[in-house]
Amino acid sequence: MITAAPALTPEKAVIPLPAPRWQEHWRQAIRDPAQLLAALALDPQELGVSAEALAQFPLRVPRSFVARMRRADPSDPLLRQVLPIDAEMQVVPGFSFDAVGDGAAKKATGVIQKYRGRALLVATGSCAIHCRYCFRRHFDYAGENAARNGWEDAVAAIAADPSIDEIILSGGDPLSLTTAKLAELTTALAGIAHIRRLRIHSRLPVVLPERVDEELVQWLDQLPWPVAFVIHANHAQEFDTAVDAALARLRGTGAQLLNQAVLLRGVNDDLDALAALSERSFAAGVLPYYLHQLDRVQGVAHFEVSDERATALHAGLMARLSGYLVPKLVRELPGDTSKRPL
Ligand SMILES: *Cc1c(COP(=O)(O)O)cnc(C)c1O
Ligand code: SF4
């Protein structure tokens, strides 16, 4: 007798487990310095790991980012960006708690406007990775995020100001919100005629490339505005094949990909490292945008590079690379009408 049912071989009957969702990778991040250093075969004592610094701003680093660190190298440039160390607890004059004047530039809950035409939404306080040099280490996220009340205050403030033509999703990391939550915002913004561009500032395609999943790509695909997607990578070693694939998916949506980096002592403050970062970014479809002098907040002084050295490095990049591979060297200061070129 012939039946219509296909013969099931034992192999075909095995249902493969679904790939873990990005939230699972997020949850599996390393939060214990001892565990991080054990994975890298390093000694916590030797590195000056600080419990106090850890209490002030917890360690958080996704496992795939750890996998890009070199083993047994205490000066690995990726490790330096995430490890809480004693130097953070030094109180250094000139380094404050609100170095960039976010407090004064608040327009509504979670909406910051400093520059003409551009409103920045602090969409959330969460990040997949905690970068030790981050100025937001002292920011009141819990109170100041625009996603509260279904984005109501933020959307009302933007709707009321026709001079705003670009919305910047920032944070924290805006892609730490679910895609459904992001879609809730863009659906509300789509009703505001004066918005012309959407910009997304996110480190997630670099530190947790699994976040760029099919759902995110579909959301980006159907947005009614041109999109600028600004990633954040400080060193060529942060790129790998998974990051390349995530960036290729983003590019496939038509988004313009840009990179902002922070100039950091002991991480990327040499000409070879900066040139390699620009070249590696471009190979992944990303143009260099800004190279930031760090914001002078308490706890980050040991990362600071002098302006003299920063401008010399920048001149070196200009002498070495194609013009479009040279980022703008800038600093952010309260009261300025734009980032200030050095
Ligand atoms: C950096 C920043 C921007 C963006 O500035 P661009 O020069 O356009 O990249 C916008 N708003 C705020 C509050 C910022 O800090
Ligand atoms: S990802 Fe960005 S916002 Fe988050 S800790 Fe790092 S630098 Fe700060």
Side-chain angles (χ1 to χ4, degrees), residues 100 102 105 112-115 118-120 135-136 166 168 199 201 260 289-290 292 332 338-339:
V100 293
D102 274 0
I112 297 174
Q113 184 171 15
K114 290 184 187 163
Y115 309 139
R118 284 150 287 173
L120 183 147
F135 76 95
R136 298 202 192 276
E166 177 169 338
I168 304 175
R199 187 185 333 180
H201 282 180
Q260 53 182 343
Y289 181 36
Y290 280 141
H292 293 273
E332 180 171 344
S338 72
K339 309 284 186 241

Side-chain angles (χ1 to χ4, degrees), residues 127 129-131 134 172 203 232:
C127 286
I129 190 167
H130 287 175
C131 312
C134 183
R203 190 149 159 69
H232 170 184

Side-chain angles (χ1 to χ4, degrees), residues 57 60 81 124-137 141 170-174 201-204 207 232 234 260 262:
F57 190 45
R60 170 173 272 281
Q81 293 180 55
T124 165
S126 314
C127 286
I129 190 167
H130 287 175
C131 312
R132 304 314 300 178
Y133 52 84
C134 183
F135 76 95
R136 298 202 192 276
R137 60 188 289 154
Y141 286 122
S170 183
D173 199 308
H201 282 180
S202 173
R203 190 149 159 69
L204 272 165
V207 300
H232 170 184
N234 299 316
Q260 53 182 343
V262 183

Side-chain angles (χ1 to χ4, degrees), residues 24-58:
E24 193 50 38
H25 293 278
W26 181 293
R27 275 191 289 273
Q28 285 172 2
I30 292 183
R31 276 173 271 181
D32 173 5
Q35 194 187 356
L36 171 63
L37 295 175
L40 298 167
L42 286 167
D43 175 2
Q45 232 82 60
E46 189 193 332
L47 279 146
V49 168
S50 162
E52 254 182 298
L54 182 72
Q56 190 185 82
F57 190 45

